[in-house]
Amino acid sequence: MKVPFANEPLTDFTEERNRLAFEAALRTVERQLGQTYPIRIGGKEIVTDNKIVSFDPAAKERIVGFVSQGDAGLAEEAIRTAERTFHTWKRYTPDERARYLYKAAAIMRRKKHEFSAWMVYEAGKTWAEADADTAEAIDFMEFYGREMQRLGRPQPLTRIPDEDNELYYMPLGVGIVIPPWNFPLAITVGMTTAAVVAGNTVVLKPASPTPVIAAKFAEVLREAGLPDGVVNFLPAPGGTVGDFMVGHPLTRFISFTGSRDVGLRINERAAQTAPGQKWIKRVVAEMGGKDSIVVDRDCDLDLAAETITASAFGFSGQKCSACSRAIVHEDVYDRVLEKVADRTSRLVVGDPAKWATNVGPVIDEKAFRKIEEYIRVGRQEGRLVIGGGTGDPAGYFIEPTVFADVDPDARIAQEEIFGPVVAFIKAASFDEALAYANNTEYGLTGAVISRNRDHLELARREFLPAICTSTANAQELLSASTRSAVSICPAPIRKPAAATICCCSPRRSSCRKMVVERKVA
């Protein structure tokens, strides 16, 4: 039996040896930029004429790689290959399947800095953000392996005379895994390996902005010896193969992380029974957030300011768990706003390949234009405190931006921006602050910073960040096996930049929301 699960340690870049090692990894990866990556179906590598071209968002003329692009015909082949492989893979014991994950985790651990370096170049992540993404990917494999071994043991049942009852978990079949670009390794690895270790086979369609990182993960699975056809790697635009794969009669479940509109379409499409379909399809979908940090009048104001700044602007705010709204009690509003503005002014925006950089680029031109438009809206709906501009035109850089005096029903307080923009909202009381925090149709995460015991307990009862568009409290293996019902394993929800919350991640406690407390001396 493996030792109990423990999080993969994050790298301390204040140590020179770690900085030198990461710089060496960046140079290694830089020499590999521009290579071509195939589709992989079963044991076949398929090179197509149509390619997804991946660019570095910090240097938009630099090509990270060329990835062969699939179509509906290859999607059909991938699904049928996964379905044939399922009939042998499902017979592997939970222990056998878990050992493949442990092997893959060991390989990734040895190449940890290289995987992080790929995310610096392809996703624009800073050193710390990329390192955390890789660590969480390793966490998922280690965690899910142990969970499947636990679930694979005999389960307790009430015994009845003259009856021999058993409870065991059965895999479903073919799963379609559609991960996002903002956690191109961690969530890709988490959703894929959760399905695989439960005995299912997968067609993995990576996010179009970050297909090279997913291709590198597919190489790890091959190196770990995972049988051909268990994971079939099919890069393709969602508009080309998405509906086809979701609606396919052999598809048993879909694991998706991305936008609300796409997630709702997947849910609707999966609910339609296709000719030849035997089973009701399952959907695990996490579809964005509009997350709040509530700051009470009685709290550590420096903690509040540091939390808001780190959470709002880590990875340029491109997280469902990023702080998009700071809801602050009117008695401390001006002081917290001033402290956040001061910290924001000291953030370094620039090349994520440099250790000193705090805020890198946004992912692509589409995101860049969308965030610029929201900043224009923000100038009308609030008071610009800091930021609002752009950076080096060689990349997609946007300054960390703070708007003050925003109405809780304003667009920038309600709509998902997915960029380095935070709206400050003033509340007359703690009750009003909670009401503002709960007034969005999005869910997922949130935080409360207070020293008031009654307020903390009220927040635990009434603050509802994990609702509506989020399945943060769902179980990732829920879509991956059955006992006529479900198996239970925490879902892979990204780690926050600071004291926002992460529900059910192996890197955070399994809480629906987090309350930040500091004891009074």
Side-chain angles (χ1 to χ4, degrees):
M1 184 63 185
K2 298 282 287 186
V3 298
F5 171 78
N7 288 130
E8 179 70 15
L10 301 178
T11 304
D12 182 0
F13 289 117
T14 64
E15 295 187 12
E16 183 180 17
R17 64 184 180 88
N18 290 335
R19 294 198 303 273
L20 292 174
F22 200 87
E23 288 169 351
L26 287 168
R27 291 191 295 270
T28 296
V29 168
E30 187 176 21
R31 291 192 293 269
Q32 300 176 52
L33 298 179
Q35 294 182 359
T36 299
Y37 300 87
I39 293 167
R40 178 174 289 276
I41 299 175
K44 293 193 304 181
E45 292 186 350
I46 302 169
V47 177
T48 59
D49 292 334
N50 290 334
K51 301 287 193 302
I52 298 172
V53 184
S54 174
F55 293 95
D56 180 350
K60 52 193 177 185
E61 300 302 320
R62 175 190 284 158
I63 294 175
V64 176
F66 301 90
V67 183
S68 289
Q69 178 175 304
D71 56 20
L74 288 171
E76 175 74 22
E77 183 179 349
I79 290 173
R80 292 198 175 275
T81 298
E83 198 275 334
R84 286 194 301 271
T85 307
F86 170 67
H87 295 289
T88 55
W89 177 244
K90 69 180 181 180
R91 296 190 180 99
Y92 284 62
T93 68
D95 288 342
E96 288 174 312
R97 298 194 300 258
R99 283 192 283 271
Y100 284 105
L101 267 62
Y102 299 144
K103 178 64 175 177
I107 294 168
M108 191 173 290
R109 189 176 289 111
R110 289 196 295 269
K111 300 178 179 180
K112 185 176 181 179
H113 287 336
E114 286 188 31
F115 270 96
S116 298
W118 279 110
M119 283 185 278
V120 170
Y121 284 116
E122 190 171 41
K125 294 207 168 194
T126 61
W127 290 24
E129 292 283 351
D131 181 70
D133 200 312
T134 304
E136 190 166 12
I138 295 168
D139 283 348
F140 281 129
M141 290 187 281
E142 294 282 358
F143 183 80
Y144 286 147
R146 287 165 174 79
E147 280 296 286
M148 195 63 240
Q149 287 183 294
R150 180 180 67 82
L151 294 170
R153 299 190 192 102
Q155 302 296 311
L157 283 175
T158 300
R159 294 298 169 184
I160 301 175
D162 301 322
E163 290 188 12
D164 186 11
N165 295 321
E166 293 181 346
L167 185 155
Y168 54 95
Y169 294 87
M170 300 169 58
L172 294 176
V174 178
I176 308 301
V177 172
I178 307 173
W181 53 260
N182 64 331
F183 284 81
L185 188 60
I187 296 182
T188 299
V189 170
M191 292 200 297
T192 301
T193 59
V196 164
V197 79
N200 303 286
T201 53
V202 163
V203 178
L204 169 60
K205 193 209 83 62
S208 293
T210 53
V212 172
I213 295 164
K216 291 295 179 181
F217 167 55
E219 290 176 1
V220 166
L221 295 180
R222 184 184 183 190
E223 185 178 348
L226 191 71
D228 292 336
V230 175
V231 174
N232 302 275
F233 179 62
L234 185 70
T240 302
V241 302
D243 279 358
F244 178 83
M245 293 196 298
V246 170
H248 199 285
L250 293 179
T251 295
R252 289 298 315 276
F253 63 93
I254 303 99
S255 295
F256 168 79
T257 298
S259 72
R260 179 183 62 179
D261 290 345
V262 174
L264 292 176
R265 178 172 177 78
I266 287 172
N267 190 57
E268 180 181 16
R269 178 81 172 169
Q272 299 171 6
T273 304
Q277 178 181 328
K278 293 181 179 180
W279 310 97
I280 296 174
K281 294 173 184 174
R282 298 182 181 181
V283 176
V284 174
E286 193 278 286
M287 300 175 286
K290 189 65 179 176
D291 306 313
S292 303
I293 294 180
V294 174
V295 181
D296 201 3
R297 63 191 296 182
D298 182 12
C299 74
D300 184 331
L301 301 187
D302 289 319
L303 170 67
E306 191 63 37
T307 297
I308 292 167
T309 305
S311 183
F313 304 130
F315 192 39
S316 297
Q318 299 174 112
K319 304 181 185 183
C320 297
S321 58
C323 174
S324 186
R325 309 189 300 170
I327 303 171
V328 185
H329 194 287
E330 62 183 8
D331 290 355
V332 296
Y333 180 89
D334 291 336
R335 283 180 286 168
V336 173
L337 179 61
E338 181 182 3
K339 288 175 181 290
V340 169
D342 176 64
R343 284 165 171 78
T344 303
S345 70
R346 290 184 267 125
L347 295 175
V348 177
V349 180
D351 184 358
K354 296 180 179 179
W355 177 51
T357 297
N358 303 117
V359 181
V362 297
I363 190 64
D364 57 19
E365 184 174 4
K366 181 181 177 181
F368 183 83
R369 299 302 177 200
K370 174 188 173 184
I371 297 163
E372 277 196 315
E373 175 59 28
Y374 272 111
I375 289 174
R376 284 192 285 272
V377 171
R379 292 177 187 272
Q380 300 171 356
E381 293 185 331
R383 171 169 58 90
L384 179 64
V385 176
I386 191 169
T390 58
D392 185 348
Y396 300 112
F397 296 99
I398 293 180
E399 294 175 348
T401 300
V402 178
F403 287 106
D405 307 335
V406 176
D407 186 271
D409 293 319
R411 285 185 61 194
I412 63 169
Q414 289 294 319
E415 298 175 13
E416 188 177 37
I417 300 171
F418 226 65
V421 180
V422 63
F424 264 70
I425 300 169
K426 185 184 295 186
S429 66
F430 187 77
D431 286 342
E432 186 173 75
L434 280 188
Y436 290 161
N438 286 333
N439 79 342
T440 171
E441 62 185 18
Y442 284 94
L444 189 60
T445 69
V448 171
I449 305 177
S450 179
R451 289 193 180 106
N452 185 304
R453 173 59 53 190
D454 291 337
H455 289 176
L456 294 175
E457 295 305 324
L458 177 64
R460 287 187 170 98
R461 293 191 302 271
E462 302 297 334
F463 191 16
L464 305 172
I467 55 174
C468 298
T469 57
S470 168
T471 59
N473 199 36
Q475 324 305 336
E476 184 60 22
L477 286 187
L478 178 150
S479 70
S481 64
T482 181
R483 62 176 189 202
S484 299
V486 301
S487 63
I488 300 173
C489 187
I493 305 299
R494 70 222 8 95
K495 67 173 61 60
T500 50
I501 11 108
C502 184
C503 297
C504 301
S505 168
R507 192 154 280 271
R508 289 290 184 270
S509 61
S510 298
C511 57
R512 188 173 292 269
K513 52 186 172 286
M514 185 180 78
V515 179
V516 179
E517 302 183 40
R518 285 283 179 90
K519 293 182 179 179
V520 180

